[in-house]
Amino acid sequence: MEQQGIDAIIAQGLEAGGHRGHFLRDEINIQMGSYALVPQIVRAVNIPVIAAGGIADAKGVCAALTLGAAGVQIGTAYMLCPEAKTSRVHRAALKNSPSGQTTLTNLFSGRPARGITNRIIRELSAICPDAPEFPMATSAVAPLRAAGESNDSGDFSPLWAGQNTSGCKEISAAHLTEELASGTN
Ligand SMILES: Cc1cc2nc3c(=O)[nH]c(=O)nc-3n(C[C@H](O)[C@H](O)[C@H](O)COP(=O)(O)O)c2cc1C
């Protein structure tokens, strides 16, 4: 990527919520956690590396910078902010789910993405060979999802979240960003 002239590389560990890059191989087992991934990429390249995955508080930001990251990319921690378009069932699941209750699943899009473990994942298995290919799985599950959500149930919805939901707070994104950056001055 550096040789192709890329400005910066996002190093996303397997802790991260939502979808992830799959460029060389689809196998999930070769994905690394952020602490293993970030320093190895930092050592291998001469362009800025942005750390992503599992960073949820100011200490996590400092840790990523200590590992050599030039910046961080955070998704999960912002999902309870009022500005986020997180749905009602998704917000409820984030508030009620202890950290770690997430799974990489292909059920909702056809490609692996991490979300809170819910009924459809438990009953069909997280990586389901019968799931339609990306992006067709999204429309395949849509009627079930809509029926569930109309009853305030997230049983059949993608509840994207990373492994570290401990930083999710119902405060403004600006305030959360200030908190996250507070250890870097
Ligand atoms: C709701 C949600 C949706 C996401 N969608 C995508 C996506 O479509 N493609 C992608 O490459 N990463 C996606 N991500 C990953 C983020 O870009 C980011 O790398 C990740 O959230 C960082 O890890 P964290 O969730 O532990 O903070 C998503 C993350 C979340 C939380």
Side-chain angles (χ1 to χ4, degrees), residues 12 15-21 52-55 73-76 79 160 162:
Q12 184 185 22
E15 303 95 325
H19 286 83
R20 57 234 31 259
I55 302 167
Q73 173 170 292
I74 297 174
T76 300
M79 294 197 56
W160 302 139

Side-chain angles (χ1 to χ4, degrees), residues 2 7 12 32 36 60 75 82 86 103 122 127-128 153 157 165-166 172 175 179 185:
E2 186 179 8
D7 294 322
Q12 184 185 22
M32 294 186 197
T86 314
T103 316
R122 280 192 295 272
I127 300 296
C128 179
S153 163
S157 302
T165 54
S166 66
S172 74
H175 189 174
E179 281 193 10
N185 297 323

